[in-house]
């Protein structure tokens, strides 16, 4: 709770040049960690905070520490993390009227990436080889078992609850990350646009059959429609001078 007490001391009239200007919704496995580094390059290390709000119990964590205040800390310009617009607007009303941005990804690739990322983390945490254990092979779910679980279906749609895609200041598409990041930086007047790649699991993922991919797409029909809408919005955006 040390961080929590620090920010309570900082409570007071907001600095006009350091007012909250941007809310970035990070859908899991949509280049969010890489994007946060770009945000810090653009706005400053201390002006960007990570805020995660559990979609079920609404518990908040600020910079990976529990956060129980009903207001955001002063002196920040950007909030970035795992939360839905509906939840953050309810818990922190000061985000109302602030520009929201997000990134989306092809739903099938996002589910596959999320599964193998979690598998990798589980292996690291268990350290079976080092401990002489054989738990993972007995307890681990297959990719399709993971994908069929309701909590893992249409995750992008769930994370964007409370706001239409058209209402976002900018919706980037991960498959066009480099171009969209440059465009976003230009639109927001960034002096420097720095792209950093982290949490890359592509080289470690085994091949996934066409049949499995087709079922994952079927299990995520809402996300598939959302992704097509994002591509349409991107196309319209590119047509504008």
């Amino acid at each position: 709770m040390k961080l929590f007490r620090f920010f309570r001391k900082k409570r007071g009239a907001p600095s006009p040049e350091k007012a909250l200007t941007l809310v970035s919704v990070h859908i899991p496995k949509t280049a969010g960690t890489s994007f946060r580094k770009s945000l810090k390059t653009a706005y400053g290390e201390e002006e960007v905070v990570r805020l995660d709000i559990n979609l079920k119990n609404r518990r908040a964590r600020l910079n990976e520490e529990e956060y129980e205040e009903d207001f955001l800390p002063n002196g920040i310009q950007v909030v970035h993390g795992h939360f839905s617009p509906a939840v953050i607007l309810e818990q922190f009303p000061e985000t109302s009227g602030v520009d929201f941005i997000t990134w989306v990804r092809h739903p099938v690739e996002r589910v596959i990436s999320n599964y193998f990322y979690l598998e990798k983390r589980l292996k690291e945490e268990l350290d079976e080889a080092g401990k002489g254990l054989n738990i993972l092979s007995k307890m681990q779910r297959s990719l399709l078992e993971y994908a069929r679980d309701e909590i893992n279906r249409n995750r992008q749609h769930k994370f964007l609850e409370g706001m239409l895609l058209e209402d976002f200041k900018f919706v980037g598409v991960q498959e066009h990350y480099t171009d969209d990041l440059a465009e976003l930086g230009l639109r927001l007047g960034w002096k420097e646009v720095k792209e950093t790649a982290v949490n890359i699991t592509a080289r470690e993922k085994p091949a996934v059959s066409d049949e499995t991919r087709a079922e994952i797409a079927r299990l995520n029909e809402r996300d598939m429609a959302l992704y097509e809408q994002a591509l349409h919005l991107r196309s319209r955006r590119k047509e504008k001078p």
Side-chain angles (χ1 to χ4, degrees):
M1 301 299 292
K2 183 177 180 181
L3 184 64
F4 167 76
R5 291 195 298 271
F6 169 76
F7 280 119
R8 285 194 72 173
K9 292 179 183 179
K10 298 283 285 186
R11 184 63 170 165
S15 172
E17 70 274 9
K18 293 285 184 72
L20 182 65
T21 59
L22 197 64
V23 176
S24 171
V25 180
H26 174 200
I27 301 169
K29 303 314 294 178
T30 58
T33 304
S34 301
F35 185 55
R36 186 170 76 245
K37 290 182 176 296
S38 296
L39 289 171
K40 290 188 174 186
T41 297
Y43 294 94
E45 187 73 23
E46 302 298 324
E47 282 70 34
V48 179
V49 296
R50 173 178 175 176
L51 177 71
D52 298 310
I53 308 176
N54 188 286
L55 297 185
K56 283 190 174 182
N57 61 30
R58 306 296 178 91
R59 296 189 66 176
R61 295 178 65 83
L62 187 73
N63 290 337
E64 302 190 80
E65 297 282 347
E66 288 188 20
Y67 190 70
E68 299 176 359
E69 291 283 19
D70 57 1
F71 52 79
L72 293 170
N74 288 330
I76 62 171
Q77 295 187 71
V78 182
V79 172
H80 169 84
H82 299 308
F83 48 77
S84 72
V87 169
I88 195 172
L89 286 166
E90 177 186 342
Q91 292 193 209
F92 301 102
E94 63 266 40
T95 58
S96 178
V98 177
D99 288 334
F100 276 66
I101 61 175
T102 194
W103 292 83
V104 298
R105 184 178 185 179
H106 191 287
V108 175
E109 297 304 323
R110 197 209 67 80
V111 169
I112 293 172
S113 178
N114 211 159
Y115 172 78
F116 285 111
Y117 169 74
L118 293 174
E119 181 187 57
K120 176 186 175 185
R121 288 293 307 274
L122 185 59
K123 288 179 179 178
E124 291 172 349
E125 290 295 324
L126 286 176
D127 184 23
E128 289 195 328
K131 297 177 181 178
L133 301 175
N134 189 29
I135 300 173
L136 190 60
S137 61
K138 297 177 181 178
M139 301 297 294
Q140 186 178 27
R141 292 186 294 176
S142 69
L143 170 58
L144 276 181
E145 288 172 331
Y146 168 85
R148 289 167 182 159
D149 193 330
E150 175 58 33
I151 196 172
N152 299 319
R153 297 171 62 177
N154 297 301
R155 291 282 281 169
Q156 297 184 86
H157 185 271
K158 292 170 183 174
F159 264 91
L160 299 184
E161 180 187 4
M163 189 173 289
L164 301 174
L165 281 188
E166 296 92 334
D167 295 331
F168 281 83
K169 175 74 172 180
F170 189 88
V171 178
V173 177
Q174 181 166 332
E175 284 75 13
H176 302 281
Y177 186 75
T178 299
D179 288 344
D180 283 4
L181 180 63
E183 180 186 350
L184 177 61
L186 184 63
R187 287 174 176 267
L188 296 182
W190 294 356
K191 294 181 179 179
E192 180 181 1
V193 179
K194 184 177 180 180
E195 180 179 351
T196 305
V198 296
N199 284 349
I200 297 177
T201 57
R203 301 186 187 93
E204 304 165 12
K205 292 185 297 186
V208 177
S209 70
D210 291 341
E211 292 79 6
T212 296
R213 289 177 177 274
E215 180 165 353
I216 293 174
R218 181 184 61 78
L219 291 167
N220 292 273
E221 290 182 351
R222 287 186 173 184
D223 274 7
M224 292 295 290
L226 185 80
Y227 182 73
E228 289 301 321
Q229 184 186 4
L231 290 176
H232 177 67
L233 290 174
R234 183 179 188 273
S235 179
R236 282 174 47 191
R237 194 173 69 228
K238 293 294 185 181
E239 292 173 358
K240 293 181 179 180

